[in-house]
Structure formats: C-alpha cells, structure tokens
mmCIF file of all heavy atoms in Angstrom:
data_model
loop_
_atom_site.group_PDB
_atom_site.id
_atom_site.type_symbol
_atom_site.label_atom_id
_atom_site.label_comp_id
_atom_site.label_asym_id
_atom_site.label_seq_id
_atom_site.Cartn_x
_atom_site.Cartn_y
_atom_site.Cartn_z
ATOM 1 N N HIS A 25 -85.565 -35.589 -158.914
ATOM 2 C CA HIS A 25 -86.592 -34.556 -158.921
ATOM 3 C C HIS A 25 -87.839 -34.914 -158.111
ATOM 4 O O HIS A 25 -88.831 -34.193 -158.180
ATOM 5 C CB HIS A 25 -87.018 -34.257 -160.366
ATOM 6 C CG HIS A 25 -85.895 -33.782 -161.233
ATOM 7 N ND1 HIS A 25 -85.369 -32.509 -161.138
ATOM 8 C CD2 HIS A 25 -85.179 -34.420 -162.210
ATOM 9 C CE1 HIS A 25 -84.389 -32.372 -162.022
ATOM 10 N NE2 HIS A 25 -84.264 -33.514 -162.675
ATOM 11 N N PHE A 26 -87.771 -35.985 -157.325
ATOM 12 C CA PHE A 26 -88.976 -36.432 -156.639
ATOM 13 C C PHE A 26 -88.609 -37.015 -155.282
ATOM 14 O O PHE A 26 -87.662 -37.795 -155.162
ATOM 15 C CB PHE A 26 -89.692 -37.480 -157.495
ATOM 16 C CG PHE A 26 -90.904 -38.071 -156.845
ATOM 17 C CD1 PHE A 26 -92.113 -37.392 -156.841
ATOM 18 C CD2 PHE A 26 -90.840 -39.311 -156.229
ATOM 19 C CE1 PHE A 26 -93.225 -37.939 -156.242
ATOM 20 C CE2 PHE A 26 -91.952 -39.865 -155.628
ATOM 21 C CZ PHE A 26 -93.159 -39.173 -155.632
ATOM 22 N N ALA A 27 -89.377 -36.618 -154.244
ATOM 23 C CA ALA A 27 -89.113 -37.105 -152.884
ATOM 24 C C ALA A 27 -90.403 -37.516 -152.198
ATOM 25 O O ALA A 27 -91.490 -37.026 -152.516
ATOM 26 C CB ALA A 27 -88.415 -36.030 -152.058
ATOM 27 N N VAL A 28 -90.236 -38.417 -151.232
ATOM 28 C CA VAL A 28 -91.305 -38.799 -150.327
ATOM 29 C C VAL A 28 -90.855 -38.410 -148.926
ATOM 30 O O VAL A 28 -89.709 -38.674 -148.537
ATOM 31 C CB VAL A 28 -91.591 -40.310 -150.391
ATOM 32 C CG1 VAL A 28 -92.673 -40.689 -149.382
ATOM 33 C CG2 VAL A 28 -91.999 -40.719 -151.790
ATOM 34 N N GLY A 29 -91.730 -37.730 -148.180
ATOM 35 C CA GLY A 29 -91.339 -37.272 -146.859
ATOM 36 C C GLY A 29 -92.417 -37.498 -145.823
ATOM 37 O O GLY A 29 -93.580 -37.754 -146.143
ATOM 38 N N GLY A 30 -92.003 -37.416 -144.580
ATOM 39 C CA GLY A 30 -92.946 -37.552 -143.473
ATOM 40 C C GLY A 30 -92.353 -36.953 -142.216
ATOM 41 O O GLY A 30 -91.147 -36.712 -142.129
ATOM 42 N N GLY A 31 -93.229 -36.689 -141.243
ATOM 43 C CA GLY A 31 -92.752 -36.115 -139.991
ATOM 44 C C GLY A 31 -93.885 -35.626 -139.131
ATOM 45 O O GLY A 31 -95.007 -36.136 -139.187
ATOM 46 N N TRP A 32 -93.582 -34.628 -138.326
ATOM 47 C CA TRP A 32 -94.541 -34.061 -137.373
ATOM 48 C C TRP A 32 -94.525 -32.551 -137.510
ATOM 49 O O TRP A 32 -93.455 -31.937 -137.680
ATOM 50 C CB TRP A 32 -94.143 -34.464 -135.962
ATOM 51 C CG TRP A 32 -94.972 -33.812 -134.874
ATOM 52 C CD1 TRP A 32 -96.144 -34.255 -134.342
ATOM 53 C CD2 TRP A 32 -94.651 -32.606 -134.178
ATOM 54 N NE1 TRP A 32 -96.577 -33.391 -133.362
ATOM 55 C CE2 TRP A 32 -95.690 -32.372 -133.242
ATOM 56 C CE3 TRP A 32 -93.600 -31.690 -134.269
ATOM 57 C CZ2 TRP A 32 -95.692 -31.267 -132.400
ATOM 58 C CZ3 TRP A 32 -93.603 -30.589 -133.429
ATOM 59 C CH2 TRP A 32 -94.636 -30.400 -132.504
ATOM 60 N N SER A 33 -95.708 -31.916 -137.462
ATOM 61 C CA SER A 33 -95.800 -30.458 -137.552
ATOM 62 C C SER A 33 -96.839 -29.946 -136.575
ATOM 63 O O SER A 33 -97.742 -30.679 -136.150
ATOM 64 C CB SER A 33 -96.152 -30.014 -138.977
ATOM 65 O OG SER A 33 -97.427 -30.507 -139.351
ATOM 66 N N GLU A 34 -96.727 -28.653 -136.237
ATOM 67 C CA GLU A 34 -97.642 -28.039 -135.278
ATOM 68 C C GLU A 34 -97.829 -26.565 -135.602
ATOM 69 O O GLU A 34 -96.882 -25.858 -135.962
ATOM 70 C CB GLU A 34 -97.093 -28.176 -133.861
ATOM 71 C CG GLU A 34 -97.942 -27.499 -132.794
ATOM 72 C CD GLU A 34 -97.308 -27.554 -131.423
ATOM 73 O OE1 GLU A 34 -97.511 -28.560 -130.727
ATOM 74 O OE2 GLU A 34 -96.595 -26.594 -131.055
ATOM 75 N N TYR A 35 -99.079 -26.123 -135.509
ATOM 76 C CA TYR A 35 -99.429 -24.707 -135.579
ATOM 77 C C TYR A 35 -100.109 -24.344 -134.260
ATOM 78 O O TYR A 35 -100.999 -25.065 -133.805
ATOM 79 C CB TYR A 35 -100.401 -24.417 -136.722
ATOM 80 C CG TYR A 35 -99.864 -24.691 -138.109
ATOM 81 C CD1 TYR A 35 -99.886 -25.976 -138.635
ATOM 82 C CD2 TYR A 35 -99.338 -23.665 -138.887
ATOM 83 C CE1 TYR A 35 -99.396 -26.233 -139.900
ATOM 84 C CE2 TYR A 35 -98.845 -23.913 -140.152
ATOM 85 C CZ TYR A 35 -98.885 -25.203 -140.657
ATOM 86 O OH TYR A 35 -98.402 -25.452 -141.913
ATOM 87 N N SER A 36 -99.732 -23.215 -133.663
ATOM 88 C CA SER A 36 -100.359 -22.810 -132.410
ATOM 89 C C SER A 36 -100.602 -21.308 -132.426
ATOM 90 O O SER A 36 -99.787 -20.530 -132.949
ATOM 91 C CB SER A 36 -99.487 -23.188 -131.213
ATOM 92 O OG SER A 36 -98.229 -22.549 -131.280
ATOM 93 N N ILE A 37 -101.740 -20.905 -131.858
ATOM 94 C CA ILE A 37 -102.109 -19.504 -131.743
ATOM 95 C C ILE A 37 -102.511 -19.232 -130.299
ATOM 96 O O ILE A 37 -103.328 -19.954 -129.730
ATOM 97 C CB ILE A 37 -103.288 -19.144 -132.670
ATOM 98 C CG1 ILE A 37 -102.909 -19.365 -134.137
ATOM 99 C CG2 ILE A 37 -103.713 -17.694 -132.463
ATOM 100 C CD1 ILE A 37 -104.071 -19.174 -135.080
ATOM 101 N N ASP A 38 -101.925 -18.206 -129.718
ATOM 102 C CA ASP A 38 -102.299 -17.751 -128.379
ATOM 103 C C ASP A 38 -102.750 -16.306 -128.527
ATOM 104 O O ASP A 38 -101.943 -15.375 -128.480
ATOM 105 C CB ASP A 38 -101.107 -17.869 -127.426
ATOM 106 C CG ASP A 38 -101.459 -17.452 -126.008
ATOM 107 O OD1 ASP A 38 -102.662 -17.314 -125.719
ATOM 108 O OD2 ASP A 38 -100.534 -17.248 -125.206
ATOM 109 N N LEU A 39 -104.047 -16.114 -128.755
ATOM 110 C CA LEU A 39 -104.604 -14.789 -129.008
ATOM 111 C C LEU A 39 -105.231 -14.262 -127.716
ATOM 112 O O LEU A 39 -106.338 -14.654 -127.352
ATOM 113 C CB LEU A 39 -105.644 -14.859 -130.129
ATOM 114 C CG LEU A 39 -106.198 -13.533 -130.663
ATOM 115 C CD1 LEU A 39 -105.073 -12.669 -131.223
ATOM 116 C CD2 LEU A 39 -107.254 -13.790 -131.731
ATOM 117 N N ASP A 40 -104.503 -13.388 -127.017
ATOM 118 C CA ASP A 40 -104.975 -12.860 -125.744
ATOM 119 C C ASP A 40 -106.097 -11.836 -125.934
ATOM 120 O O ASP A 40 -106.956 -11.693 -125.067
ATOM 121 C CB ASP A 40 -103.823 -12.197 -124.983
ATOM 122 C CG ASP A 40 -102.705 -13.174 -124.677
ATOM 123 O OD1 ASP A 40 -103.008 -14.350 -124.417
ATOM 124 O OD2 ASP A 40 -101.529 -12.770 -124.716
ATOM 125 N N ARG A 41 -106.075 -11.109 -127.063
ATOM 126 C CA ARG A 41 -107.086 -10.079 -127.292
ATOM 127 C C ARG A 41 -107.151 -9.730 -128.782
ATOM 128 O O ARG A 41 -106.128 -9.531 -129.418
ATOM 129 C CB ARG A 41 -106.744 -8.815 -126.508
ATOM 130 C CG ARG A 41 -107.795 -7.704 -126.622
ATOM 131 C CD ARG A 41 -107.356 -6.432 -125.911
ATOM 132 N NE ARG A 41 -106.313 -5.707 -126.638
ATOM 133 C CZ ARG A 41 -105.058 -5.621 -126.267
ATOM 134 N NH1 ARG A 41 -104.668 -6.212 -125.152
ATOM 135 N NH2 ARG A 41 -104.170 -4.954 -126.984
ATOM 136 N N TYR A 42 -108.362 -9.718 -129.311
ATOM 137 C CA TYR A 42 -108.582 -9.212 -130.660
ATOM 138 C C TYR A 42 -109.891 -8.426 -130.640
ATOM 139 O O TYR A 42 -110.973 -8.998 -130.496
ATOM 140 C CB TYR A 42 -108.674 -10.355 -131.682
ATOM 141 C CG TYR A 42 -108.808 -9.865 -133.110
ATOM 142 C CD1 TYR A 42 -107.687 -9.707 -133.914
ATOM 143 C CD2 TYR A 42 -110.053 -9.545 -133.646
ATOM 144 C CE1 TYR A 42 -107.799 -9.250 -135.224
ATOM 145 C CE2 TYR A 42 -110.170 -9.087 -134.951
ATOM 146 C CZ TYR A 42 -109.043 -8.945 -135.730
ATOM 147 O OH TYR A 42 -109.163 -8.486 -137.023
ATOM 148 N N GLU A 43 -109.777 -7.113 -130.743
ATOM 149 C CA GLU A 43 -110.945 -6.244 -130.682
ATOM 150 C C GLU A 43 -111.513 -6.054 -132.083
ATOM 151 O O GLU A 43 -110.808 -5.621 -132.995
ATOM 152 C CB GLU A 43 -110.578 -4.900 -130.067
ATOM 153 C CG GLU A 43 -110.106 -5.012 -128.621
ATOM 154 C CD GLU A 43 -109.702 -3.678 -128.028
ATOM 155 O OE1 GLU A 43 -109.869 -2.653 -128.721
ATOM 156 O OE2 GLU A 43 -109.206 -3.662 -126.885
ATOM 157 N N THR A 44 -112.795 -6.388 -132.246
ATOM 158 C CA THR A 44 -113.464 -6.247 -133.521
ATOM 159 C C THR A 44 -114.843 -5.634 -133.282
ATOM 160 O O THR A 44 -115.748 -6.301 -132.772
ATOM 161 C CB THR A 44 -113.588 -7.603 -134.248
ATOM 162 O OG1 THR A 44 -114.429 -7.463 -135.379
ATOM 163 C CG2 THR A 44 -114.088 -8.702 -133.357
ATOM 164 N N GLY A 45 -114.975 -4.355 -133.612
ATOM 165 C CA GLY A 45 -116.234 -3.672 -133.362
ATOM 166 C C GLY A 45 -116.512 -3.565 -131.876
ATOM 167 O O GLY A 45 -115.667 -3.137 -131.082
ATOM 168 N N ASP A 46 -117.703 -3.990 -131.467
ATOM 169 C CA ASP A 46 -118.094 -3.937 -130.051
ATOM 170 C C ASP A 46 -117.652 -5.172 -129.278
ATOM 171 O O ASP A 46 -117.950 -5.277 -128.080
ATOM 172 C CB ASP A 46 -119.624 -3.801 -129.935
ATOM 173 C CG ASP A 46 -120.128 -2.492 -130.519
ATOM 174 O OD1 ASP A 46 -119.381 -1.500 -130.479
ATOM 175 O OD2 ASP A 46 -121.273 -2.472 -131.025
ATOM 176 N N TYR A 47 -116.962 -6.095 -129.934
ATOM 177 C CA TYR A 47 -116.637 -7.372 -129.312
ATOM 178 C C TYR A 47 -115.121 -7.554 -129.189
ATOM 179 O O TYR A 47 -114.328 -6.997 -129.944
ATOM 180 C CB TYR A 47 -117.219 -8.526 -130.129
ATOM 181 C CG TYR A 47 -118.722 -8.487 -130.248
ATOM 182 C CD1 TYR A 47 -119.327 -7.931 -131.373
ATOM 183 C CD2 TYR A 47 -119.539 -8.996 -129.242
ATOM 184 C CE1 TYR A 47 -120.712 -7.881 -131.494
ATOM 185 C CE2 TYR A 47 -120.914 -8.957 -129.343
ATOM 186 C CZ TYR A 47 -121.497 -8.399 -130.475
ATOM 187 O OH TYR A 47 -122.856 -8.342 -130.575
ATOM 188 N N THR A 48 -114.752 -8.395 -128.223
ATOM 189 C CA THR A 48 -113.362 -8.815 -128.041
ATOM 190 C C THR A 48 -113.309 -10.336 -128.051
ATOM 191 O O THR A 48 -114.018 -10.989 -127.286
ATOM 192 C CB THR A 48 -112.787 -8.289 -126.717
ATOM 193 O OG1 THR A 48 -112.737 -6.866 -126.752
ATOM 194 C CG2 THR A 48 -111.377 -8.823 -126.495
ATOM 195 N N ALA A 49 -112.487 -10.878 -128.934
ATOM 196 C CA ALA A 49 -112.340 -12.330 -129.064
ATOM 197 C C ALA A 49 -110.998 -12.750 -128.483
ATOM 198 O O ALA A 49 -110.006 -12.019 -128.565
ATOM 199 C CB ALA A 49 -112.439 -12.751 -130.520
ATOM 200 N N ARG A 50 -110.993 -13.952 -127.909
ATOM 201 C CA ARG A 50 -109.762 -14.561 -127.395
ATOM 202 C C ARG A 50 -109.764 -16.039 -127.798
ATOM 203 O O ARG A 50 -110.793 -16.713 -127.722
ATOM 204 C CB ARG A 50 -109.669 -14.443 -125.870
ATOM 205 C CG ARG A 50 -109.634 -13.031 -125.334
ATOM 206 C CD ARG A 50 -109.421 -13.016 -123.836
ATOM 207 N NE ARG A 50 -110.502 -13.677 -123.131
ATOM 208 C CZ ARG A 50 -110.403 -14.194 -121.908
ATOM 209 N NH1 ARG A 50 -109.242 -14.159 -121.266
ATOM 210 N NH2 ARG A 50 -111.432 -14.759 -121.324
ATOM 211 N N PHE A 51 -108.589 -16.534 -128.207
ATOM 212 C CA PHE A 51 -108.497 -17.936 -128.623
ATOM 213 C C PHE A 51 -107.157 -18.526 -128.199
ATOM 214 O O PHE A 51 -106.118 -17.861 -128.259
ATOM 215 C CB PHE A 51 -108.620 -18.076 -130.154
ATOM 216 C CG PHE A 51 -110.001 -17.841 -130.683
ATOM 217 C CD1 PHE A 51 -110.325 -16.634 -131.279
ATOM 218 C CD2 PHE A 51 -110.970 -18.828 -130.580
ATOM 219 C CE1 PHE A 51 -111.597 -16.413 -131.774
ATOM 220 C CE2 PHE A 51 -112.251 -18.612 -131.075
ATOM 221 C CZ PHE A 51 -112.564 -17.400 -131.666
ATOM 222 N N ASN A 52 -107.195 -19.775 -127.760
ATOM 223 C CA ASN A 52 -106.018 -20.634 -127.644
ATOM 224 C C ASN A 52 -106.254 -21.811 -128.586
ATOM 225 O O ASN A 52 -107.191 -22.590 -128.372
ATOM 226 C CB ASN A 52 -105.823 -21.133 -126.209
ATOM 227 C CG ASN A 52 -105.398 -20.026 -125.265
ATOM 228 O OD1 ASN A 52 -104.657 -19.131 -125.658
ATOM 229 N ND2 ASN A 52 -105.859 -20.063 -124.035
ATOM 230 N N TYR A 53 -105.410 -21.932 -129.588
ATOM 231 C CA TYR A 53 -105.709 -22.850 -130.694
ATOM 232 C C TYR A 53 -104.440 -23.585 -131.071
ATOM 233 O O TYR A 53 -103.388 -22.976 -131.270
ATOM 234 C CB TYR A 53 -106.240 -22.033 -131.864
ATOM 235 C CG TYR A 53 -106.612 -22.815 -133.100
ATOM 236 C CD1 TYR A 53 -107.446 -23.910 -133.036
ATOM 237 C CD2 TYR A 53 -106.131 -22.422 -134.347
ATOM 238 C CE1 TYR A 53 -107.804 -24.601 -134.182
ATOM 239 C CE2 TYR A 53 -106.475 -23.099 -135.495
ATOM 240 C CZ TYR A 53 -107.311 -24.187 -135.406
ATOM 241 O OH TYR A 53 -107.657 -24.881 -136.545
ATOM 242 N N GLU A 54 -104.533 -24.925 -131.167
ATOM 243 C CA GLU A 54 -103.361 -25.727 -131.524
ATOM 244 C C GLU A 54 -103.775 -26.857 -132.459
ATOM 245 O O GLU A 54 -104.773 -27.532 -132.231
ATOM 246 C CB GLU A 54 -102.704 -26.299 -130.273
ATOM 247 C CG GLU A 54 -101.441 -27.099 -130.551
ATOM 248 C CD GLU A 54 -100.766 -27.573 -129.280
ATOM 249 O OE1 GLU A 54 -100.364 -26.716 -128.471
ATOM 250 O OE2 GLU A 54 -100.664 -28.809 -129.099
ATOM 251 N N VAL A 55 -102.997 -27.011 -133.519
ATOM 252 C CA VAL A 55 -103.190 -28.094 -134.490
ATOM 253 C C VAL A 55 -101.854 -28.812 -134.642
ATOM 254 O O VAL A 55 -100.841 -28.182 -134.943
ATOM 255 C CB VAL A 55 -103.645 -27.569 -135.863
ATOM 256 C CG1 VAL A 55 -103.950 -28.731 -136.797
ATOM 257 C CG2 VAL A 55 -104.850 -26.658 -135.734
ATOM 258 N N SER A 56 -101.818 -30.111 -134.424
ATOM 259 C CA SER A 56 -100.569 -30.849 -134.553
ATOM 260 C C SER A 56 -100.866 -32.262 -135.025
ATOM 261 O O SER A 56 -101.962 -32.792 -134.801
ATOM 262 C CB SER A 56 -99.809 -30.882 -133.219
ATOM 263 O OG SER A 56 -100.588 -31.521 -132.223
ATOM 264 N N GLY A 57 -99.886 -32.873 -135.693
ATOM 265 C CA GLY A 57 -100.091 -34.240 -136.146
ATOM 266 C C GLY A 57 -98.978 -34.744 -137.044
ATOM 267 O O GLY A 57 -98.032 -34.026 -137.384
ATOM 268 N N LEU A 58 -99.105 -36.006 -137.417
ATOM 269 C CA LEU A 58 -98.156 -36.653 -138.318
ATOM 270 C C LEU A 58 -98.516 -36.329 -139.752
ATOM 271 O O LEU A 58 -99.690 -36.298 -140.125
ATOM 272 C CB LEU A 58 -98.165 -38.161 -138.096
ATOM 273 C CG LEU A 58 -97.734 -38.639 -136.704
ATOM 274 C CD1 LEU A 58 -97.897 -40.148 -136.590
ATOM 275 C CD2 LEU A 58 -96.295 -38.236 -136.426
ATOM 276 N N GLU A 59 -97.514 -36.093 -140.569
ATOM 277 C CA GLU A 59 -97.753 -35.710 -141.954
ATOM 278 C C GLU A 59 -96.998 -36.627 -142.915
ATOM 279 O O GLU A 59 -95.972 -37.222 -142.565
ATOM 280 C CB GLU A 59 -97.354 -34.263 -142.203
ATOM 281 C CG GLU A 59 -95.879 -33.967 -141.962
ATOM 282 C CD GLU A 59 -95.544 -32.512 -142.246
ATOM 283 O OE1 GLU A 59 -96.217 -31.625 -141.681
ATOM 284 O OE2 GLU A 59 -94.607 -32.271 -143.037
ATOM 285 N N LEU A 60 -97.517 -36.725 -144.121
ATOM 286 C CA LEU A 60 -96.895 -37.474 -145.219
ATOM 287 C C LEU A 60 -97.059 -36.643 -146.479
ATOM 288 O O LEU A 60 -98.151 -36.135 -146.748
ATOM 289 C CB LEU A 60 -97.573 -38.844 -145.388
ATOM 290 C CG LEU A 60 -96.984 -39.772 -146.460
ATOM 291 C CD1 LEU A 60 -95.566 -40.190 -146.075
ATOM 292 C CD2 LEU A 60 -97.870 -40.999 -146.648
ATOM 293 N N TYR A 61 -95.985 -36.489 -147.259
ATOM 294 C CA TYR A 61 -96.060 -35.587 -148.414
ATOM 295 C C TYR A 61 -95.175 -36.060 -149.559
ATOM 296 O O TYR A 61 -94.270 -36.887 -149.383
ATOM 297 C CB TYR A 61 -95.663 -34.163 -148.005
ATOM 298 C CG TYR A 61 -94.287 -34.029 -147.422
ATOM 299 C CD1 TYR A 61 -93.163 -33.800 -148.224
ATOM 300 C CD2 TYR A 61 -94.083 -34.112 -146.036
ATOM 301 C CE1 TYR A 61 -91.899 -33.654 -147.679
ATOM 302 C CE2 TYR A 61 -92.832 -33.968 -145.484
ATOM 303 C CZ TYR A 61 -91.740 -33.738 -146.302
ATOM 304 O OH TYR A 61 -90.479 -33.608 -145.771
ATOM 305 N N LEU A 62 -95.455 -35.506 -150.726
ATOM 306 C CA LEU A 62 -94.654 -35.687 -151.939
ATOM 307 C C LEU A 62 -94.008 -34.356 -152.290
ATOM 308 O O LEU A 62 -94.613 -33.299 -152.109
ATOM 309 C CB LEU A 62 -95.531 -36.176 -153.101
ATOM 310 C CG LEU A 62 -96.316 -37.468 -152.867
ATOM 311 C CD1 LEU A 62 -97.174 -37.785 -154.076
ATOM 312 C CD2 LEU A 62 -95.379 -38.618 -152.553
ATOM 313 N N LYS A 63 -92.782 -34.417 -152.817
ATOM 314 C CA LYS A 63 -92.035 -33.190 -153.069
ATOM 315 C C LYS A 63 -91.368 -33.241 -154.430
ATOM 316 O O LYS A 63 -90.860 -34.281 -154.850
ATOM 317 C CB LYS A 63 -90.957 -33.019 -151.986
ATOM 318 C CG LYS A 63 -90.291 -31.660 -151.945
ATOM 319 C CD LYS A 63 -89.496 -31.536 -150.656
ATOM 320 C CE LYS A 63 -89.041 -30.117 -150.408
ATOM 321 N NZ LYS A 63 -88.416 -29.956 -149.072
#
C-alpha cells in the first residue's frame, strides 16, 4: 500500500492570445524538473 517514486515532469503553456477587457496577454511558460514523491 505504499510506494516511493521519482522522475521528471514538465508543464508548458504557449498562449498566443488571451483577450481580457481592453488588453491582450501573451505568454510562453514552461516549468520542468526532477520530482520525488510518496504514493
């Protein structure tokens, strides 16, 4: 019922256009790294 784990993970966002009110936002965003967890 119990595990120890590890590895690599990544989240990425390529937002070409997001219109909010009078403004337009754009983002290129990436988060990646080594992880360690209990399960």
Side-chain angles (χ1 to χ4, degrees):
H25 300 285
F26 176 80
V28 177
W32 174 88
S33 63
E34 177 185 274
Y35 297 83
S36 61
I37 298 174
D38 182 13
L39 188 60
D40 299 325
R41 183 184 74 251
Y42 184 94
E43 297 178 4
T44 171
D46 296 330
Y47 299 97
T48 296
R50 298 185 298 157
F51 288 102
N52 290 325
Y53 180 51
E54 182 176 299
V55 185
S56 61
L58 298 175
E59 61 179 53
L60 183 66
Y61 58 89
L62 303 178
K63 192 167 192 173

